[in-house]
PDB file of all heavy atoms in Angstrom:
ATOM      1  N   LEU C  64     120.833  76.040 101.921  1.00  0.00           N
ATOM      2  CA  LEU C  64     120.823  77.302 102.289  1.00  0.00           C
ATOM      3  C   LEU C  64     119.781  78.256 101.502  1.00  0.00           C
ATOM      4  O   LEU C  64     119.056  78.989 102.177  1.00  0.00           O
ATOM      5  CB  LEU C  64     122.183  78.104 101.978  1.00  0.00           C
ATOM      6  CG  LEU C  64     122.413  79.664 102.081  1.00  0.00           C
ATOM      7  CD1 LEU C  64     122.135  80.049 103.493  1.00  0.00           C
ATOM      8  CD2 LEU C  64     123.785  80.082 101.629  1.00  0.00           C
ATOM      9  N   LEU C  65     119.802  77.938 100.199  1.00  0.00           N
ATOM     10  CA  LEU C  65     118.764  78.847  99.365  1.00  0.00           C
ATOM     11  C   LEU C  65     117.357  78.499  99.834  1.00  0.00           C
ATOM     12  O   LEU C  65     116.525  79.378  99.995  1.00  0.00           O
ATOM     13  CB  LEU C  65     119.018  78.479  98.006  1.00  0.00           C
ATOM     14  CG  LEU C  65     120.379  78.835  97.326  1.00  0.00           C
ATOM     15  CD1 LEU C  65     120.310  78.570  95.883  1.00  0.00           C
ATOM     16  CD2 LEU C  65     120.774  80.223  97.592  1.00  0.00           C
ATOM     17  N   ALA C  66     117.121  77.288 100.169  1.00  0.00           N
ATOM     18  CA  ALA C  66     115.665  76.806 100.537  1.00  0.00           C
ATOM     19  C   ALA C  66     115.471  77.444 101.957  1.00  0.00           C
ATOM     20  O   ALA C  66     114.299  77.877 102.138  1.00  0.00           O
ATOM     21  CB  ALA C  66     115.744  75.278 100.603  1.00  0.00           C
ATOM     22  N   ALA C  67     116.441  77.509 102.806  1.00  0.00           N
ATOM     23  CA  ALA C  67     116.124  78.159 104.116  1.00  0.00           C
ATOM     24  C   ALA C  67     115.905  79.555 104.165  1.00  0.00           C
ATOM     25  O   ALA C  67     115.162  80.143 104.762  1.00  0.00           O
ATOM     26  CB  ALA C  67     117.377  77.835 104.979  1.00  0.00           C
ATOM     27  N   VAL C  68     116.670  80.227 103.093  1.00  0.00           N
ATOM     28  CA  VAL C  68     116.418  81.706 102.977  1.00  0.00           C
ATOM     29  C   VAL C  68     115.026  82.038 102.350  1.00  0.00           C
ATOM     30  O   VAL C  68     114.444  83.036 102.796  1.00  0.00           O
ATOM     31  CB  VAL C  68     117.462  82.152 102.001  1.00  0.00           C
ATOM     32  CG1 VAL C  68     117.143  83.592 101.500  1.00  0.00           C
ATOM     33  CG2 VAL C  68     118.934  82.213 102.581  1.00  0.00           C
ATOM     34  N   ILE C  69     114.535  81.067 101.442  1.00  0.00           N
ATOM     35  CA  ILE C  69     113.128  81.409 100.885  1.00  0.00           C
ATOM     36  C   ILE C  69     112.191  81.178 102.062  1.00  0.00           C
ATOM     37  O   ILE C  69     111.218  81.816 102.286  1.00  0.00           O
ATOM     38  CB  ILE C  69     112.886  80.340  99.887  1.00  0.00           C
ATOM     39  CG1 ILE C  69     113.751  80.691  98.557  1.00  0.00           C
ATOM     40  CG2 ILE C  69     111.472  80.428  99.440  1.00  0.00           C
ATOM     41  CD1 ILE C  69     113.707  79.631  97.452  1.00  0.00           C
ATOM     42  N   LEU C  70     112.354  79.982 102.771  1.00  0.00           N
ATOM     43  CA  LEU C  70     111.485  79.884 103.955  1.00  0.00           C
ATOM     44  C   LEU C  70     111.439  80.839 105.073  1.00  0.00           C
ATOM     45  O   LEU C  70     110.525  81.315 105.611  1.00  0.00           O
ATOM     46  CB  LEU C  70     111.796  78.488 104.597  1.00  0.00           C
ATOM     47  CG  LEU C  70     110.831  78.047 105.797  1.00  0.00           C
ATOM     48  CD1 LEU C  70     109.457  78.005 105.347  1.00  0.00           C
ATOM     49  CD2 LEU C  70     111.279  76.687 106.348  1.00  0.00           C
ATOM     50  N   MET C  71     112.695  81.488 105.269  1.00  0.00           N
ATOM     51  CA  MET C  71     112.928  82.580 106.178  1.00  0.00           C
ATOM     52  C   MET C  71     112.078  83.787 105.727  1.00  0.00           C
ATOM     53  O   MET C  71     111.460  84.424 106.482  1.00  0.00           O
ATOM     54  CB  MET C  71     114.475  82.923 106.116  1.00  0.00           C
ATOM     55  CG  MET C  71     114.753  84.315 106.672  1.00  0.00           C
ATOM     56  SD  MET C  71     116.536  84.633 106.438  1.00  0.00           S
ATOM     57  CE  MET C  71     116.499  86.346 107.091  1.00  0.00           C
ATOM     58  N   GLY C  72     112.176  83.994 104.408  1.00  0.00           N
ATOM     59  CA  GLY C  72     111.330  85.122 103.750  1.00  0.00           C
ATOM     60  C   GLY C  72     109.769  84.949 104.011  1.00  0.00           C
ATOM     61  O   GLY C  72     109.152  85.904 104.324  1.00  0.00           O
ATOM     62  N   ILE C  73     109.338  83.734 103.817  1.00  0.00           N
ATOM     63  CA  ILE C  73     107.956  83.294 103.959  1.00  0.00           C
ATOM     64  C   ILE C  73     107.457  83.670 105.440  1.00  0.00           C
ATOM     65  O   ILE C  73     106.396  84.332 105.716  1.00  0.00           O
ATOM     66  CB  ILE C  73     107.611  81.900 103.634  1.00  0.00           C
ATOM     67  CG1 ILE C  73     107.889  81.655 102.076  1.00  0.00           C
ATOM     68  CG2 ILE C  73     106.140  81.575 104.063  1.00  0.00           C
ATOM     69  CD1 ILE C  73     107.794  80.289 101.632  1.00  0.00           C
ATOM     70  N   ILE C  74     108.335  83.332 106.423  1.00  0.00           N
ATOM     71  CA  ILE C  74     108.011  83.503 107.817  1.00  0.00           C
ATOM     72  C   ILE C  74     108.033  85.086 108.113  1.00  0.00           C
ATOM     73  O   ILE C  74     107.120  85.483 108.836  1.00  0.00           O
ATOM     74  CB  ILE C  74     109.215  82.818 108.739  1.00  0.00           C
ATOM     75  CG1 ILE C  74     108.996  81.328 108.584  1.00  0.00           C
ATOM     76  CG2 ILE C  74     109.002  83.182 110.150  1.00  0.00           C
ATOM     77  CD1 ILE C  74     110.256  80.610 109.183  1.00  0.00           C
ATOM     78  N   GLN C  75     108.822  85.754 107.491  1.00  0.00           N
ATOM     79  CA  GLN C  75     108.977  87.210 107.791  1.00  0.00           C
ATOM     80  C   GLN C  75     107.631  87.802 107.145  1.00  0.00           C
ATOM     81  O   GLN C  75     107.208  88.787 107.723  1.00  0.00           O
ATOM     82  CB  GLN C  75     110.237  87.851 107.197  1.00  0.00           C
ATOM     83  CG  GLN C  75     111.459  87.409 107.986  1.00  0.00           C
ATOM     84  CD  GLN C  75     112.738  88.054 107.400  1.00  0.00           C
ATOM     85  OE1 GLN C  75     112.812  88.122 106.215  1.00  0.00           O
ATOM     86  NE2 GLN C  75     113.671  88.307 108.157  1.00  0.00           N
ATOM     87  N   ILE C  76     107.325  87.432 105.960  1.00  0.00           N
ATOM     88  CA  ILE C  76     106.065  87.974 105.482  1.00  0.00           C
ATOM     89  C   ILE C  76     104.836  87.758 106.166  1.00  0.00           C
ATOM     90  O   ILE C  76     103.992  88.609 106.628  1.00  0.00           O
ATOM     91  CB  ILE C  76     105.833  87.497 104.021  1.00  0.00           C
ATOM     92  CG1 ILE C  76     106.910  88.133 103.027  1.00  0.00           C
ATOM     93  CG2 ILE C  76     104.404  87.791 103.401  1.00  0.00           C
ATOM     94  CD1 ILE C  76     106.799  87.550 101.565  1.00  0.00           C
ATOM     95  N   ALA C  77     104.854  86.514 106.841  1.00  0.00           N
ATOM     96  CA  ALA C  77     103.684  86.123 107.727  1.00  0.00           C
ATOM     97  C   ALA C  77     103.743  86.997 108.961  1.00  0.00           C
ATOM     98  O   ALA C  77     102.673  87.476 109.451  1.00  0.00           O
ATOM     99  CB  ALA C  77     103.816  84.633 108.199  1.00  0.00           C
ATOM    100  N   ALA C  78     104.850  87.333 109.392  1.00  0.00           N
ATOM    101  CA  ALA C  78     105.083  88.227 110.638  1.00  0.00           C
ATOM    102  C   ALA C  78     104.412  89.581 110.373  1.00  0.00           C
ATOM    103  O   ALA C  78     103.718  90.180 111.133  1.00  0.00           O
ATOM    104  CB  ALA C  78     106.451  88.397 111.062  1.00  0.00           C
ATOM    105  N   GLY C  79     104.647  90.113 109.073  1.00  0.00           N
ATOM    106  CA  GLY C  79     104.155  91.349 108.680  1.00  0.00           C
ATOM    107  C   GLY C  79     102.639  91.371 108.463  1.00  0.00           C
ATOM    108  O   GLY C  79     101.989  92.378 108.867  1.00  0.00           O
ATOM    109  N   VAL C  80     102.158  90.295 107.824  1.00  0.00           N
ATOM    110  CA  VAL C  80     100.768  90.147 107.637  1.00  0.00           C
ATOM    111  C   VAL C  80      99.989  90.086 108.964  1.00  0.00           C
ATOM    112  O   VAL C  80      98.941  90.735 109.078  1.00  0.00           O
ATOM    113  CB  VAL C  80     100.400  88.918 106.785  1.00  0.00           C
ATOM    114  CG1 VAL C  80      98.953  88.587 106.643  1.00  0.00           C
ATOM    115  CG2 VAL C  80     100.946  88.992 105.434  1.00  0.00           C
ATOM    116  N   PHE C  81     100.473  89.377 109.833  1.00  0.00           N
ATOM    117  CA  PHE C  81      99.886  89.286 111.186  1.00  0.00           C
ATOM    118  C   PHE C  81     100.209  90.515 112.185  1.00  0.00           C
ATOM    119  O   PHE C  81      99.957  90.446 113.314  1.00  0.00           O
ATOM    120  CB  PHE C  81     100.140  88.058 111.900  1.00  0.00           C
ATOM    121  CG  PHE C  81      99.513  86.854 111.134  1.00  0.00           C
ATOM    122  CD1 PHE C  81     100.266  85.861 110.346  1.00  0.00           C
ATOM    123  CD2 PHE C  81      98.070  86.531 111.515  1.00  0.00           C
ATOM    124  CE1 PHE C  81      99.578  84.878 109.774  1.00  0.00           C
ATOM    125  CE2 PHE C  81      97.505  85.493 110.937  1.00  0.00           C
ATOM    126  CZ  PHE C  81      98.240  84.606 109.952  1.00  0.00           C
ATOM    127  N   LYS C  82     100.887  91.505 111.589  1.00  0.00           N
ATOM    128  CA  LYS C  82     101.158  92.667 112.255  1.00  0.00           C
ATOM    129  C   LYS C  82     102.111  92.584 113.511  1.00  0.00           C
ATOM    130  O   LYS C  82     101.692  93.266 114.557  1.00  0.00           O
ATOM    131  CB  LYS C  82      99.862  93.429 112.550  1.00  0.00           C
ATOM    132  CG  LYS C  82      99.085  93.778 111.359  1.00  0.00           C
ATOM    133  CD  LYS C  82      97.895  94.673 111.548  1.00  0.00           C
ATOM    134  CE  LYS C  82      97.039  94.987 110.254  1.00  0.00           C
ATOM    135  NZ  LYS C  82      97.861  95.531 109.205  1.00  0.00           N
ATOM    136  N   LEU C  83     103.060  91.669 113.471  1.00  0.00           N
ATOM    137  CA  LEU C  83     103.785  91.393 114.471  1.00  0.00           C
ATOM    138  C   LEU C  83     104.969  92.537 114.717  1.00  0.00           C
ATOM    139  O   LEU C  83     105.520  92.617 115.750  1.00  0.00           O
ATOM    140  CB  LEU C  83     104.432  90.044 114.570  1.00  0.00           C
ATOM    141  CG  LEU C  83     103.659  88.932 114.420  1.00  0.00           C
ATOM    142  CD1 LEU C  83     104.439  87.569 114.493  1.00  0.00           C
ATOM    143  CD2 LEU C  83     102.670  88.927 115.577  1.00  0.00           C
ATOM    144  N   GLY C  84     105.070  93.364 113.627  1.00  0.00           N
ATOM    145  CA  GLY C  84     106.051  94.394 113.677  1.00  0.00           C
ATOM    146  C   GLY C  84     105.765  95.421 114.739  1.00  0.00           C
ATOM    147  O   GLY C  84     106.731  96.075 115.177  1.00  0.00           O
ATOM    148  N   ARG C  85     104.583  95.510 115.138  1.00  0.00           N
ATOM    149  CA  ARG C  85     104.164  96.531 116.211  1.00  0.00           C
ATOM    150  C   ARG C  85     104.915  96.184 117.480  1.00  0.00           C
ATOM    151  O   ARG C  85     105.066  97.080 118.298  1.00  0.00           O
ATOM    152  CB  ARG C  85     102.625  96.646 116.362  1.00  0.00           C
ATOM    153  CG  ARG C  85     102.195  95.342 117.043  1.00  0.00           C
ATOM    154  CD  ARG C  85     100.573  95.387 117.336  1.00  0.00           C
ATOM    155  NE  ARG C  85      99.957  95.326 116.079  1.00  0.00           N
ATOM    156  CZ  ARG C  85      98.573  95.238 115.879  1.00  0.00           C
ATOM    157  NH1 ARG C  85      97.940  95.296 116.973  1.00  0.00           N
ATOM    158  NH2 ARG C  85      98.148  95.025 114.692  1.00  0.00           N
ATOM    159  N   PHE C  86     105.231  94.943 117.745  1.00  0.00           N
ATOM    160  CA  PHE C  86     105.791  94.658 119.107  1.00  0.00           C
ATOM    161  C   PHE C  86     107.199  95.197 119.371  1.00  0.00           C
ATOM    162  O   PHE C  86     107.599  95.288 120.448  1.00  0.00           O
ATOM    163  CB  PHE C  86     105.811  93.150 119.245  1.00  0.00           C
ATOM    164  CG  PHE C  86     104.483  92.452 119.416  1.00  0.00           C
ATOM    165  CD1 PHE C  86     103.796  91.706 118.327  1.00  0.00           C
ATOM    166  CD2 PHE C  86     103.678  92.698 120.548  1.00  0.00           C
ATOM    167  CE1 PHE C  86     102.574  91.301 118.399  1.00  0.00           C
ATOM    168  CE2 PHE C  86     102.429  92.191 120.674  1.00  0.00           C
ATOM    169  CZ  PHE C  86     101.900  91.399 119.628  1.00  0.00           C
ATOM    170  N   VAL C  87     107.856  95.660 118.243  1.00  0.00           N
ATOM    171  CA  VAL C  87     109.229  96.271 118.476  1.00  0.00           C
ATOM    172  C   VAL C  87     108.924  97.538 119.180  1.00  0.00           C
ATOM    173  O   VAL C  87     109.970  98.025 119.857  1.00  0.00           O
ATOM    174  CB  VAL C  87     109.776  96.467 117.246  1.00  0.00           C
ATOM    175  CG1 VAL C  87     109.271  97.707 116.430  1.00  0.00           C
ATOM    176  CG2 VAL C  87     111.336  96.732 117.347  1.00  0.00           C
ATOM    177  N   ARG C  88     107.775  98.033 119.172  1.00  0.00           N
ATOM    178  CA  ARG C  88     107.584  99.412 119.907  1.00  0.00           C
ATOM    179  C   ARG C  88     107.606  99.117 121.481  1.00  0.00           C
ATOM    180  O   ARG C  88     107.581 100.066 122.140  1.00  0.00           O
ATOM    181  CB  ARG C  88     106.192  99.883 119.570  1.00  0.00           C
ATOM    182  CG  ARG C  88     106.026 100.305 118.032  1.00  0.00           C
ATOM    183  CD  ARG C  88     106.950 101.392 117.560  1.00  0.00           C
ATOM    184  NE  ARG C  88     106.852 101.627 116.127  1.00  0.00           N
ATOM    185  CZ  ARG C  88     107.745 102.298 115.396  1.00  0.00           C
ATOM    186  NH1 ARG C  88     108.608 102.976 116.123  1.00  0.00           N
ATOM    187  NH2 ARG C  88     107.579 102.497 114.166  1.00  0.00           N
ATOM    188  N   LEU C  89     107.408  97.845 121.863  1.00  0.00           N
ATOM    189  CA  LEU C  89     107.441  97.480 123.279  1.00  0.00           C
ATOM    190  C   LEU C  89     108.810  97.230 123.801  1.00  0.00           C
ATOM    191  O   LEU C  89     109.030  97.245 125.019  1.00  0.00           O
ATOM    192  CB  LEU C  89     106.606  96.216 123.426  1.00  0.00           C
ATOM    193  CG  LEU C  89     105.142  96.172 123.055  1.00  0.00           C
ATOM    194  CD1 LEU C  89     104.534  94.793 123.163  1.00  0.00           C
ATOM    195  CD2 LEU C  89     104.396  97.195 123.829  1.00  0.00           C
ATOM    196  N   ILE C  90     109.723  97.454 122.902  1.00  0.00           N
ATOM    197  CA  ILE C  90     111.259  97.208 123.455  1.00  0.00           C
ATOM    198  C   ILE C  90     111.588  98.517 124.263  1.00  0.00           C
ATOM    199  O   ILE C  90     111.483  99.643 123.720  1.00  0.00           O
ATOM    200  CB  ILE C  90     112.097  96.982 122.309  1.00  0.00           C
ATOM    201  CG1 ILE C  90     111.765  95.701 121.579  1.00  0.00           C
ATOM    202  CG2 ILE C  90     113.687  97.085 122.784  1.00  0.00           C
ATOM    203  CD1 ILE C  90     112.651  95.481 120.403  1.00  0.00           C
ATOM    204  N   PRO C  91     111.882  98.373 125.609  1.00  0.00           N
ATOM    205  CA  PRO C  91     112.242  99.395 126.388  1.00  0.00           C
ATOM    206  C   PRO C  91     113.528 100.213 125.890  1.00  0.00           C
ATOM    207  O   PRO C  91     114.346  99.573 125.202  1.00  0.00           O
ATOM    208  CB  PRO C  91     112.588  98.837 127.741  1.00  0.00           C
ATOM    209  CG  PRO C  91     111.907  97.533 127.691  1.00  0.00           C
ATOM    210  CD  PRO C  91     112.012  97.085 126.277  1.00  0.00           C
ATOM    211  N   HIS C  92     113.554 101.504 126.319  1.00  0.00           N
ATOM    212  CA  HIS C  92     114.774 102.346 125.869  1.00  0.00           C
ATOM    213  C   HIS C  92     116.093 101.668 126.422  1.00  0.00           C
ATOM    214  O   HIS C  92     117.075 101.791 125.592  1.00  0.00           O
ATOM    215  CB  HIS C  92     114.712 103.744 126.330  1.00  0.00           C
ATOM    216  CG  HIS C  92     115.521 104.750 125.774  1.00  0.00           C
ATOM    217  ND1 HIS C  92     115.518 105.052 124.423  1.00  0.00           N
ATOM    218  CD2 HIS C  92     116.632 105.338 126.406  1.00  0.00           C
ATOM    219  CE1 HIS C  92     116.581 105.848 124.124  1.00  0.00           C
ATOM    220  NE2 HIS C  92     117.258 106.042 125.271  1.00  0.00           N
ATOM    221  N   PRO C  93     116.223 101.268 127.569  1.00  0.00           N
ATOM    222  CA  PRO C  93     117.566 100.782 128.008  1.00  0.00           C
ATOM    223  C   PRO C  93     117.947  99.511 127.139  1.00  0.00           C
ATOM    224  O   PRO C  93     119.145  99.334 126.919  1.00  0.00           O
ATOM    225  CB  PRO C  93     117.244 100.232 129.385  1.00  0.00           C
ATOM    226  CG  PRO C  93     116.125 101.103 129.959  1.00  0.00           C
ATOM    227  CD  PRO C  93     115.271 101.329 128.784  1.00  0.00           C
ATOM    228  N   VAL C  94     116.953  98.714 126.659  1.00  0.00           N
ATOM    229  CA  VAL C  94     117.236  97.555 125.701  1.00  0.00           C
ATOM    230  C   VAL C  94     117.786  98.228 124.412  1.00  0.00           C
ATOM    231  O   VAL C  94     118.858  97.702 123.842  1.00  0.00           O
ATOM    232  CB  VAL C  94     116.112  96.721 125.570  1.00  0.00           C
ATOM    233  CG1 VAL C  94     116.395  95.567 124.574  1.00  0.00           C
ATOM    234  CG2 VAL C  94     115.679  96.190 126.893  1.00  0.00           C
ATOM    235  N   MET C  95     117.185  99.210 123.963  1.00  0.00           N
ATOM    236  CA  MET C  95     117.482  99.830 122.743  1.00  0.00           C
ATOM    237  C   MET C  95     118.957 100.450 122.798  1.00  0.00           C
ATOM    238  O   MET C  95     119.739 100.264 121.851  1.00  0.00           O
ATOM    239  CB  MET C  95     116.503 101.025 122.308  1.00  0.00           C
ATOM    240  CG  MET C  95     116.684 101.590 121.035  1.00  0.00           C
ATOM    241  SD  MET C  95     116.466 100.472 119.579  1.00  0.00           S
ATOM    242  CE  MET C  95     116.967 101.607 118.268  1.00  0.00           C
TER     243      MET C  95
END
């Protein structure tokens, strides 16, 4: 579990570095 949590964090940092956070703006209002 601890190893998976660390790897989870690495993947999330990579998502931020590659600016994938912007895609949440594409989520339509009915979905929200």
Side-chain angles (χ1 to χ4, degrees):
L64 167 66
L65 300 185
V68 170
I69 294 172
L70 182 57
M71 167 189 175
I73 294 172
I74 294 172
Q75 289 178 326
I76 289 179
V80 170
F81 289 103
K82 301 187 182 302
L83 300 183
R85 72 181 68 175
F86 289 107
V87 76
R88 304 292 178 187
L89 300 178
I90 296 176
H92 190 70
V94 177
M95 182 68 184

